[in-house]
Protein backbone atom coordinates (compact mmCIF):
# COMPACT_ATOMS: atom_id res chain seq x y z
CA UNK A 1 0.00 0.00 0.00
CA UNK A 2 1.11 3.58 -0.63
CA UNK A 3 1.13 4.43 3.07
CA UNK A 4 3.04 1.35 4.25
CA UNK A 5 5.79 1.90 6.83
CA UNK A 6 8.65 -0.60 6.85
CA UNK A 7 10.98 -0.27 9.87
CA UNK A 8 14.51 -1.65 9.62
CA UNK A 9 17.08 -1.58 12.44
CA UNK A 10 20.59 -2.94 12.58
CA UNK A 11 24.20 -2.23 13.52
CA UNK A 12 26.67 -0.60 11.16
CA UNK A 13 27.81 -2.89 8.40
CA UNK A 14 24.64 -4.96 8.56
CA UNK A 15 23.85 -3.72 5.06
CA UNK A 16 20.68 -1.96 6.16
CA UNK A 17 21.11 1.14 4.00
CA UNK A 18 21.55 -0.79 0.75
CA UNK A 19 18.73 -3.17 1.65
CA UNK A 20 16.34 -0.42 2.78
CA UNK A 21 16.91 1.60 -0.40
CA UNK A 22 16.32 -1.38 -2.66
CA UNK A 23 13.18 -2.42 -0.78
CA UNK A 24 11.85 1.14 -1.05
CA UNK A 25 12.55 1.17 -4.81
CA UNK A 26 10.79 -2.13 -5.40
CA UNK A 27 7.75 -1.14 -3.33
CA UNK A 28 7.76 2.45 -4.62
CA UNK A 29 8.01 3.86 -1.14
CA UNK A 30 10.13 6.73 0.11
CA UNK A 31 13.36 6.06 2.00
CA UNK A 32 14.55 7.67 5.26
CA UNK A 33 18.07 7.17 6.64
CA UNK A 34 17.77 8.27 10.29
CA UNK A 35 21.48 7.72 10.90
CA UNK A 36 22.11 10.48 8.36
CA UNK A 37 19.98 12.77 10.54
CA UNK A 38 22.15 12.13 13.63
CA UNK A 39 25.22 12.64 11.45
CA UNK A 40 23.86 15.91 10.00
CA UNK A 41 23.16 17.23 13.51
CA UNK A 42 26.71 16.29 14.52
CA UNK A 43 28.09 18.13 11.48
CA UNK A 44 26.00 21.22 12.24
CA UNK A 45 26.94 21.36 15.93
CA UNK A 46 30.66 20.97 15.15
CA UNK A 47 30.32 23.60 12.42
CA UNK A 48 29.00 26.05 15.01
CA UNK A 49 31.70 25.18 17.51
CA UNK A 50 29.29 23.75 20.08
CA UNK A 51 30.79 21.50 22.74
CA UNK A 52 28.95 18.20 22.29
CA UNK A 53 29.26 17.64 26.04
CA UNK A 54 27.13 20.75 26.61
CA UNK A 55 23.99 18.65 26.21
CA UNK A 56 21.47 21.40 26.88
CA UNK A 57 22.95 23.84 24.38
CA UNK A 58 23.37 21.05 21.80
CA UNK A 59 19.71 20.04 22.18
CA UNK A 60 18.55 23.65 22.00
CA UNK A 61 20.36 24.24 18.72
CA UNK A 62 19.15 20.93 17.30
CA UNK A 63 15.54 22.03 17.79
CA UNK A 64 16.27 24.76 15.23
CA UNK A 65 18.36 22.86 12.67
CA UNK A 66 17.10 23.53 9.11
CA UNK A 67 17.50 19.88 8.17
CA UNK A 68 15.93 18.61 4.95
CA UNK A 69 15.93 14.91 4.11
CA UNK A 70 15.36 13.99 0.46
CA UNK A 71 13.52 10.67 0.53
CA UNK A 72 13.82 9.44 -3.07
CA UNK A 73 15.41 5.98 -2.68
CA UNK A 74 17.26 6.37 -6.00
CA UNK A 75 18.87 9.58 -4.86
CA UNK A 76 18.52 10.31 -1.15
CA UNK A 77 19.80 13.76 -0.15
CA UNK A 78 20.69 15.54 3.07
CA UNK A 79 20.73 19.34 3.32
CA UNK A 80 21.29 21.66 6.24
CA UNK A 81 19.92 24.95 5.01
CA UNK A 82 21.33 25.19 1.50
CA UNK A 83 24.40 23.10 2.26
CA UNK A 84 24.54 19.61 0.75
CA UNK A 85 26.10 17.61 3.60
CA UNK A 86 25.75 14.10 2.12
CA UNK A 87 29.54 13.84 1.68
CA UNK A 88 30.79 15.54 4.87
CA UNK A 89 28.54 13.52 7.19
CA UNK A 90 30.36 10.31 6.14
CA UNK A 91 33.76 11.62 7.23
CA UNK A 92 35.42 9.72 10.05
CA UNK A 93 35.49 12.81 12.30
CA UNK A 94 31.66 12.68 12.20
CA UNK A 95 31.53 8.91 12.77
CA UNK A 96 33.80 9.42 15.78
CA UNK A 97 31.61 12.17 17.29
CA UNK A 98 28.10 10.97 16.41
CA UNK A 99 27.58 8.80 19.50
CA UNK A 100 27.91 11.87 21.73
CA UNK A 101 24.99 13.34 19.80
CA UNK A 102 22.98 10.10 19.70
CA UNK A 103 23.19 9.72 23.50
CA UNK A 104 21.74 13.23 24.03
CA UNK A 105 18.13 12.55 25.02
CA UNK A 106 16.94 16.05 24.08
CA UNK A 107 18.35 15.56 20.60
CA UNK A 108 16.78 12.11 20.31
CA UNK A 109 13.38 13.50 21.29
CA UNK A 110 13.65 16.15 18.56
CA UNK A 111 14.83 13.78 15.82
CA UNK A 112 12.33 11.04 16.70
CA UNK A 113 9.52 13.61 16.37
CA UNK A 114 10.81 14.71 12.97
CA UNK A 115 11.16 11.09 11.83
CA UNK A 116 7.60 10.31 12.91
CA UNK A 117 6.32 13.38 11.06
CA UNK A 118 8.04 12.26 7.86
CA UNK A 119 6.71 8.70 8.26
CA UNK A 120 3.17 10.02 8.79
CA UNK A 121 3.13 11.79 5.41
CA UNK A 122 3.21 8.75 3.16
CA UNK A 123 4.68 5.25 2.82
CA UNK A 124 8.34 4.94 3.68
CA UNK A 125 11.12 2.52 4.52
CA UNK A 126 12.84 3.90 7.63
CA UNK A 127 16.19 2.58 8.78
CA UNK A 128 18.15 3.16 11.97
CA UNK A 129 18.68 1.79 15.48
CA UNK A 130 15.42 2.53 17.29
CA UNK A 131 12.89 2.47 14.45
CA UNK A 132 11.28 -0.88 15.32
CA UNK A 133 11.06 0.04 19.02
CA UNK A 134 10.66 3.82 19.38
CA UNK A 135 10.05 5.64 16.09
CA UNK A 136 7.58 3.21 14.51
CA UNK A 137 6.73 0.46 17.01
CA UNK A 138 3.34 0.00 15.31
CA UNK A 139 4.71 -0.42 11.78
CA UNK A 140 3.26 -3.56 10.17
CA UNK A 141 6.70 -4.65 9.02
CA UNK A 142 9.57 -4.45 11.51
CA UNK A 143 12.91 -6.04 10.72
CA UNK A 144 16.17 -6.38 12.59
CA UNK A 145 18.96 -6.88 10.09
CA UNK A 146 22.00 -8.55 11.61
CA UNK A 147 25.28 -9.95 10.34
CA UNK A 148 28.27 -11.55 12.01
CA UNK A 149 31.00 -9.23 13.25
CA UNK A 150 33.36 -10.59 10.59
CA UNK A 151 30.89 -9.84 7.81
CA UNK A 152 30.10 -6.36 9.13
CA UNK A 153 33.77 -5.39 9.42
CA UNK A 154 34.49 -6.62 5.94
CA UNK A 155 31.54 -4.67 4.48
CA UNK A 156 32.55 -1.47 6.26
CA UNK A 157 36.17 -1.88 5.12
CA UNK A 158 34.89 -2.17 1.57
CA UNK A 159 32.76 0.93 1.98
CA UNK A 160 35.50 3.03 3.57
CA UNK A 161 38.61 1.79 1.78
CA UNK A 162 37.28 0.25 -1.41
CA UNK A 163 38.58 -3.20 -0.52
CA UNK A 164 38.42 -5.74 2.26
CA UNK A 165 41.91 -6.88 3.17
CA UNK A 166 43.47 -7.79 6.50
CA UNK A 167 44.79 -4.27 6.97
CA UNK A 168 41.64 -2.38 5.93
CA UNK A 169 39.54 -4.64 8.18
CA UNK A 170 41.90 -3.91 11.09
CA UNK A 171 41.68 -0.18 10.39
CA UNK A 172 37.89 -0.43 10.50
CA UNK A 173 37.61 -2.65 13.57
CA UNK A 174 38.09 0.03 16.24
CA UNK A 175 35.64 2.47 14.69
CA UNK A 176 32.89 -0.10 14.21
CA UNK A 177 33.20 -1.89 17.54
CA UNK A 178 33.48 1.30 19.57
CA UNK A 179 30.45 2.82 17.85
CA UNK A 180 28.46 -0.39 18.44
CA UNK A 181 29.36 -0.27 22.12
CA UNK A 182 28.41 3.41 22.43
CA UNK A 183 25.22 2.95 20.44
CA UNK A 184 24.11 -0.02 22.51
CA UNK A 185 23.51 2.42 25.38
CA UNK A 186 20.89 4.36 23.38
CA UNK A 187 18.89 1.65 21.68
CA UNK A 188 18.65 -2.09 21.76
CA UNK A 189 19.46 -3.11 18.22
CA UNK A 190 21.58 -6.23 18.61
CA UNK A 191 18.67 -8.44 19.61
CA UNK A 192 15.10 -8.18 18.37
CA UNK A 193 12.25 -6.71 20.37
CA UNK A 194 9.00 -8.67 20.56
CA UNK A 195 7.27 -9.03 17.20
CA UNK A 196 10.36 -7.97 15.24
CA UNK A 197 11.57 -10.34 12.49
CA UNK A 198 15.29 -11.06 12.37
CA UNK A 199 17.12 -11.37 9.05
CA UNK A 200 20.73 -12.52 9.37
CA UNK A 201 22.52 -11.44 6.20
CA UNK A 202 25.94 -12.92 7.07
CA UNK A 203 25.74 -15.49 4.31
CA UNK A 204 23.36 -13.68 1.98
CA UNK A 205 23.98 -11.51 -1.05
CA UNK A 206 22.31 -8.10 -1.26
CA UNK A 207 19.68 -9.53 -3.63
CA UNK A 208 18.91 -12.41 -1.27
CA UNK A 209 18.59 -10.07 1.69
CA UNK A 210 16.25 -7.75 -0.23
CA UNK A 211 14.20 -10.81 -1.19
CA UNK A 212 13.99 -11.93 2.46
CA UNK A 213 12.69 -8.50 3.53
CA UNK A 214 10.19 -8.40 0.64
CA UNK A 215 8.95 -11.86 1.70
CA UNK A 216 8.37 -10.50 5.21
CA UNK A 217 6.46 -7.54 3.77
CA UNK A 218 4.23 -9.99 1.92
CA UNK A 219 3.73 -12.12 5.00
CA UNK A 220 2.96 -9.23 7.34
CA UNK A 221 0.70 -7.09 5.15
O1 LIG B 1 23.37 4.31 10.49
P1 LIG B 1 24.62 5.10 10.76
O2 LIG B 1 25.78 4.24 11.13
O3 LIG B 1 24.94 6.11 9.71
O4 LIG B 1 24.23 5.96 12.07
C1 LIG B 1 25.13 6.88 12.62
C2 LIG B 1 24.91 6.98 14.12
O5 LIG B 1 23.66 7.59 14.41
C3 LIG B 1 24.87 5.66 14.86
O6 LIG B 1 26.18 5.24 15.21
C4 LIG B 1 24.04 6.00 16.11
O7 LIG B 1 24.87 6.59 17.09
C5 LIG B 1 23.09 7.06 15.60
N1 LIG B 1 21.75 6.59 15.32
C6 LIG B 1 20.84 6.50 16.35
N2 LIG B 1 19.55 6.17 16.11
C7 LIG B 1 19.13 5.90 14.87
C8 LIG B 1 20.05 5.95 13.79
C9 LIG B 1 21.36 6.29 14.05
O8 LIG B 1 21.20 6.74 17.51
N3 LIG B 1 17.85 5.61 14.63
Amino acid sequence: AADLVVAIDGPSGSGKSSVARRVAQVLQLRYLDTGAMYRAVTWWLLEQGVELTDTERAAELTARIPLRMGTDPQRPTVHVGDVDVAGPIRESRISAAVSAVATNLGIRRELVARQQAIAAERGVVVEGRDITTVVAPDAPVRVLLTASEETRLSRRANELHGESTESTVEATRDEVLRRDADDSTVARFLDAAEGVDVVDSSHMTLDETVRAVLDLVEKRT
Side-chain angles (χ1 to χ4, degrees), residues 39 87-98 160 175 178:
R39 288 172 178 275
I89 63 171
R90 302 291 158 196
E91 287 169 13
S92 59
R93 68 182 179 101
I94 301 295
S95 301
V98 69
L160 294 173
E175 189 230 296
R178 188 165 50 79

Side-chain angles (χ1 to χ4, degrees), residues 34-50 52 57-67 69 78-80 85 89 94 97-98 100-102 104 106-108 110-112 114-115:
T34 62
M37 296 174 77
Y38 287 92
R39 288 172 178 275
V41 166
T42 306
W43 176 87
W44 153 266
L45 294 174
L46 293 177
E47 196 73 3
Q48 309 206 42
V50 177
L52 300 182
R57 173 112 184 92
E60 237 171 64
L61 274 173
T62 300
R64 299 199 299 268
I65 184 175
L67 175 61
M69 303 300 294
V78 189
H79 287 87
V80 176
V85 297
I89 63 171
I94 301 295
V98 69
V101 166
N104 182 319
I107 293 179
R108 295 199 77 77
E110 174 67 26
L111 290 188
V112 166
R114 293 193 190 200
Q115 290 154 12

Side-chain angles (χ1 to χ4, degrees), residues 120-133:
E121 287 163 13
R122 201 149 34 81
V124 64
V125 179
V126 190
E127 59 130 311
R129 302 289 191 289
D130 61 345
I131 312 307
T132 63
T133 52

Side-chain angles (χ1 to χ4, degrees), residues 3-206:
D3 60 354
L4 176 66
V5 175
V6 177
I8 302 181
D9 284 329
S12 77
S14 60
K16 65 185 183 319
S17 294
S18 315
V19 172
R21 283 178 64 175
R22 290 276 288 273
V23 167
Q25 279 176 43
V26 173
L27 298 176
Q28 297 192 311
L29 298 171
R30 295 172 306 152
Y31 161 71
L32 181 64
D33 175 359
T34 62
M37 296 174 77
Y38 287 92
R39 288 172 178 275
V41 166
T42 306
W43 176 87
W44 153 266
L45 294 174
L46 293 177
E47 196 73 3
Q48 309 206 42
V50 177
E51 287 294 337
L52 300 182
T53 48
D54 186 350
T55 51
E56 232 166 275
R57 173 112 184 92
E60 237 171 64
L61 274 173
T62 300
R64 299 199 299 268
I65 184 175
L67 175 61
R68 286 185 295 128
M69 303 300 294
T71 56
D72 177 351
Q74 309 252 25
R75 210 181 55 91
T77 58
V78 189
H79 287 87
V80 176
D82 292 329
V83 186
D84 177 352
V85 297
I89 63 171
R90 302 291 158 196
E91 287 169 13
S92 59
R93 68 182 179 101
I94 301 295
S95 301
V98 69
S99 291
V101 166
T103 49
N104 182 319
L105 295 182
I107 293 179
R108 295 199 77 77
R109 197 175 311 125
E110 174 67 26
L111 290 188
V112 166
R114 293 193 190 200
Q115 290 154 12
Q116 290 175 331
I118 294 170
E121 287 163 13
R122 201 149 34 81
V124 64
V125 179
V126 190
E127 59 130 311
R129 302 289 191 289
D130 61 345
I131 312 307
T132 63
T133 52
V134 177
V135 175
D138 298 326
V141 186
R142 293 184 298 150
V143 180
L144 179 69
L145 198 57
T146 63
S148 67
E149 185 174 299
E150 192 193 338
T151 302
R152 297 194 296 114
L153 287 174
S154 146
R155 286 181 186 156
R156 281 295 282 171
N158 253 316
E159 250 173 67
L160 294 173
H161 308 284
E163 57 177 353
S164 170
T165 63
E166 207 173 313
S167 70
T168 60
V169 165
E170 274 322 302
T172 310
R173 183 180 301 275
D174 276 357
E175 189 230 296
V176 170
L177 297 189
R178 188 165 50 79
R179 198 141 59 86
D180 280 356
D182 293 345
D183 288 347
S184 66
T185 66
V186 299
R188 190 180 120 192
F189 58 87
L190 295 174
D191 57 299
E194 198 180 334
V196 174
D197 292 304
V198 179
V199 173
D200 182 343
S201 72
S202 303
H203 304 290
M204 289 181 176
T205 63
L206 176 58

